[in-house]
Amino acid sequence: MTIDLTALKADNLARWQRARSTSDFASVARRLVTGKSRYQAVSVQAGVPWYVIAVIHERESSQSWTASLAQGDPWDHVSVHVPAGRGPFKSWEDAAVDALVNCAPYAARWKDWSIGGTLTLLEQYNGLGYARRGVPSPYIWAGTDQYRSGKYVRDGVYDPDAVDKQLGCAGLLLAMKALDASIFPSTASVPSVPPPSQATPAQPPSIAHPAKGSIGDLVASLVRAVILTFKRS
């Protein structure tokens, strides 16, 4: 079943707009914001917003700096979980760049970092099995009123009664945004011209400044021509 990502973006945005926290995200949000400089170093190389990297890090490995962003395996060993066969790497940052650039869903190629687009990329990072079932992904919505139960307890096995105890990405981003204004910054542009109430009023026509195309403008042109001829003689 092919998922309509445009429709999923709209669904995720609508859920974001009405979501309310049912868990305490504050302490984890503060911890993730504290790691901002390390996430920014990866962001520069991969082109993925730092706060997206932060919430993936939390979901995949509870922000362990010894674990890969790709699947939580130790980054200084060859990974055994999907994506398997990655590494070893020289640093957490190198492993993170590899995860974002070279591993599905290839977050470094994603271009839509709006709220709906970001949440949809994050959902793809975990897999679209929930979207195929038409239910909210706990990877995104756990800890909010948009999620109650339902979880893939292992690959391909969905338990409708299981509850994801990890905090979801949406609630984490909401809590982080309250601490750091660079998260989902405003894209509103400054008007290129002032509004009518602030614009400089046009100068009314006068003898010194006749309206263009008027008889006064014609007479003024003739006078200027005469004066210019006189100066040249």
Side-chain angles (χ1 to χ4, degrees):
M1 175 183 176
T2 302
I3 300 298
D4 183 342
L5 293 182
T6 300
L8 185 56
K9 290 178 189 179
D11 288 344
N12 279 326
L13 176 59
R15 289 184 180 124
W16 169 277
Q17 291 171 335
R18 62 177 181 262
R20 296 293 182 270
S21 295
T22 57
S23 300
D24 182 8
F25 288 86
S27 61
V28 177
R30 285 193 294 270
R31 172 163 53 76
L32 293 177
V33 170
T34 299
K36 180 177 179 178
S37 61
R38 295 191 73 172
Y39 297 131
Q40 286 178 317
V42 175
S43 177
V44 169
Q45 297 184 67
V48 176
W50 71 268
Y51 44 89
V52 175
I53 300 169
V55 295
I56 293 173
H57 192 197
E58 177 64 22
R59 283 293 308 194
E60 295 299 326
S61 62
S62 299
Q63 204 191 18
S64 170
W65 298 103
T66 65
S68 173
L69 194 72
Q71 71 297 79
D73 287 354
W75 51 258
D76 57 350
H77 292 74
V78 177
S79 63
V80 295
H81 296 95
V82 179
R86 312 304 303 178
F89 298 96
K90 294 180 180 179
S91 66
W92 178 87
E93 285 79 0
D94 286 349
V97 171
D98 178 74
L100 298 169
V101 173
N102 299 318
C103 302
Y106 306 102
R109 303 178 191 176
W110 191 251
K111 303 301 181 185
D112 183 0
W113 298 114
S114 65
I115 293 172
T118 295
L119 296 176
T120 299
L121 180 278
L122 288 167
E123 188 161 349
Q124 291 179 84
Y125 202 93
N126 181 241
L128 294 175
Y130 297 99
R132 292 188 179 92
R133 290 179 173 273
V135 298
S137 167
Y139 195 87
I140 309 301
W141 301 108
T144 76
D145 60 359
Q146 301 302 299
Y147 171 76
R148 292 186 179 180
S149 66
K151 178 178 171 61
Y152 280 93
V153 292
R154 55 183 181 275
D155 288 347
V157 179
Y158 178 78
D159 183 345
D161 298 317
V163 177
D164 193 324
K165 300 299 184 181
Q166 277 189 278
L167 296 175
C169 294
L172 288 170
L173 288 169
L174 280 166
M176 291 166 66
K177 183 171 174 57
L179 301 172
D180 191 314
S182 72
I183 296 171
F184 295 127
S186 172
T187 57
S189 59
V190 178
S192 58
V193 294
S197 61
Q198 298 177 3
T200 303
Q203 190 173 23
S206 64
I207 295 176
H209 301 282
K212 188 173 182 180
S214 66
I215 294 177
D217 185 38
L218 176 61
V219 172
S221 297
L222 291 172
V223 171
R224 286 194 295 270
V226 170
I227 292 173
L228 183 59
T229 301
F230 177 78
K231 287 182 176 181
R232 290 175 176 174
S233 62

